[in-house]
Amino acid sequence: MSARNACIVGWAHSRFGKLEDAPDLETLIAGVARAAVEDAGIAPSEIDAGFVGVFGEGFTPQGFPASLVLQSLPELRFRPITRFENACATGSAAIHGALDFLAARRGRFALVVGAEKMTAVPGPKVGDILLTASYRRTEQDIEGGFAGVFARIAEAYFQRHGDQSDALAAIAAKNHRNGVDNPWAQMRKDLGYEFCRRESEKNPYVVRPLKRTDCSLVSDGAAALVLTDEETARAMSKAVRFRAAVQVNDFLPIAARDIVRFEGAREAWARAYDQAGVRLADLSFVETHDCFTIAELIEYEAMGLTPAGQGARAALEGWTAADGRLPVNRSGGLKSKGHPIGATGVSMHALAAMQLTGTAGAMQLPKADLGGVFNMGGAAVANYVSILERLG
């Protein structure tokens, strides 16, 4: 069995946001772990291994989080459970650990949990923690922390291709409009294009040229998946199959590459299309990593939606809207949904699975046959692409 034969057969998703009813990482993990197993319709004792994605890096005093799963699933005692970390792609790294486990035939069911408790940390410290996903040696003193890193990317893109502030505002407005329909989203408010485009007291510059509406949210949250092999999945009530699962890493320093091209993302998408035997035109929708609006813009180009330098067309002409030729981030994306680091990749796969099984509620697209997921760690350093379909 290859990773491409693995299937998602259960999922669970918490609300994202400042969750005062979830005071710690343990509570977040407990809230989704058992729920995902129940959603899969299996007994907890049938889970053969666990894969836990938590960025941590100072967000929580509790390190070594893998066995926190046992607090809500004591039936997993004496099973192998491992913590994964790969910056903002931590959740996808945990998924790939589960895919490898299944491909090696070490077990039949794998549980993946992604979680992060971010809001208990003061704002300035959040920025410093996120900078650990950059190259500290040369990027330590960039103004604005990780927002400053992406502001530099935006500046470089604008210098090469012209000021794209209109397109960034269109992306932000689209994702906030989509987020209204997502019951788990942190910000369920249609802010409108004009609000996102203008600097104001409520939408100030964080680091020019990025305003508050260009930046994803500091969030608490968790999501979980149950994975199994295709043969087992065919006897279950629902299943979403991996047609492709690709990871590509690039240099960590932004100075070591052409940062406005997201070359690692381009390579990951190209390999995923080849592995799945599909083209971009075959996809019904994409969930992509809009940690900042400039990232989503460049990702349009990396996935092949537009040529280099023309990503603005996709945003401004409505290609990526819910009723466009390729809906992107129907969930609201990180911009509206929130971005609890360890949970993000797992959340993206769970939401894609909902679309493909027709269970996405108000977010449901009329056509959802084949979905793409792009989750990245750092500034296009760890790049993960999945192509998913409902198992027929």
Side-chain angles (χ1 to χ4, degrees), residues 29-387:
I29 291 172
V32 295
R34 181 171 285 275
V37 175
E38 291 174 351
D39 186 64
I42 62 174
S45 58
E46 293 182 80
I47 296 292
D48 297 300
F51 302 83
V52 179
V54 177
F55 179 61
E57 299 296 333
F59 281 126
T60 173
Q62 176 61 65
F64 191 37
S67 279
L68 291 177
V69 173
L70 300 182
Q71 308 296 76
S72 60
L73 287 171
E75 297 92 340
L76 270 59
R77 189 182 185 196
F78 305 136
R79 307 291 202 283
I81 308 174
T82 308
R83 181 266 186 98
F84 285 75
E85 189 280 313
N86 217 2
C88 301
T90 286
S92 289
I95 291 170
H96 275 237
L99 293 175
D100 291 344
F101 176 84
L102 294 171
R105 299 186 182 277
R106 293 177 56 202
R108 194 163 63 119
F109 287 105
L111 173 67
V112 179
V113 180
E116 209 74 59
K117 179 70 179 179
M118 299 176 71
T119 65
V121 173
K125 188 176 180 183
V126 170
D128 185 63
I129 291 170
L130 293 177
L131 268 177
T132 61
S134 67
Y135 187 54
R136 286 277 198 177
R137 182 172 295 179
T138 57
E139 298 162 18
Q140 168 74 36
D141 297 322
I142 291 178
E143 177 193 358
F146 220 64
V149 171
F150 276 85
R152 285 197 177 183
I153 294 170
E155 285 180 341
Y157 189 96
F158 288 8
Q159 287 169 8
R160 187 176 302 180
H161 301 299
D163 188 323
Q164 305 298 331
S165 296
D166 289 351
L168 299 191
I171 289 169
K174 168 185 69 73
N175 289 345
H176 279 292
R177 184 167 59 250
N178 286 344
V180 172
D181 294 327
N182 184 346
W184 300 285
Q186 181 168 353
M187 185 178 289
R188 301 181 66 188
K189 186 175 182 181
D190 185 354
L191 298 178
Y193 173 81
E194 291 301 325
F195 179 86
C196 295
R197 181 64 182 88
R198 292 196 318 272
E199 178 192 9
S200 65
E201 184 178 345
K202 291 186 177 180
N203 190 28
Y205 282 104
V206 177
V207 184
R208 289 180 184 272
L210 301 181
K211 297 184 286 294
R212 184 175 290 165
T213 50
D214 293 305
C215 306
S216 59
L217 304 160
V218 174
S219 317
D220 308 329
L225 305 171
V226 174
L227 274 62
T228 190
D229 61 89
E230 183 177 336
E231 182 181 359
T232 300
R234 287 195 176 278
M236 303 187 73
S237 62
K238 62 185 178 186
V240 171
R241 177 170 54 189
F242 283 84
R243 283 279 292 269
V246 171
Q247 177 191 356
V248 166
N249 269 52
D250 206 341
F251 293 110
L252 181 59
I254 59 176
R257 48 207 163 95
D258 184 354
I259 193 55
V260 303
R261 286 180 54 82
F262 283 15
E263 294 159 291
R266 287 172 179 267
E267 181 66 21
W269 274 107
R271 293 186 188 184
Y273 295 143
D274 182 64
Q275 190 179 101
V278 301
R279 303 169 300 152
L280 175 68
D282 296 319
L283 299 184
S284 306
F285 66 91
V286 167
E287 285 289 319
T288 201
H289 194 99
D290 60 316
C291 50
F292 300 90
T293 52
I294 185 62
E296 181 167 328
L297 181 70
I298 298 173
E299 287 158 18
Y300 295 161
E301 301 168 13
M303 72 178 73
L305 186 59
T306 75
Q310 297 182 32
R313 287 190 62 199
L316 295 171
E317 297 178 16
W319 299 5
T320 56
D323 59 354
R325 67 169 71 172
L326 181 68
V328 175
N329 288 338
R330 184 64 184 91
S331 67
L334 285 58
K335 177 79 266 297
S336 174
K337 180 181 62 174
H339 184 23
I341 307 296
T344 289
V346 183
S347 164
M348 296 168 91
H349 285 79
L351 287 159
M354 292 177 200
Q355 283 289 349
L356 292 165
T357 54
T359 58
M363 296 179 286
Q364 187 64 51
L365 293 163
K367 182 179 185 294
D369 300 324
L370 197 66
V373 173
F374 173 70
N375 179 208
M376 74 178 180
V381 177
N383 304 275
Y384 291 81
V385 173
S386 298
I387 294 179

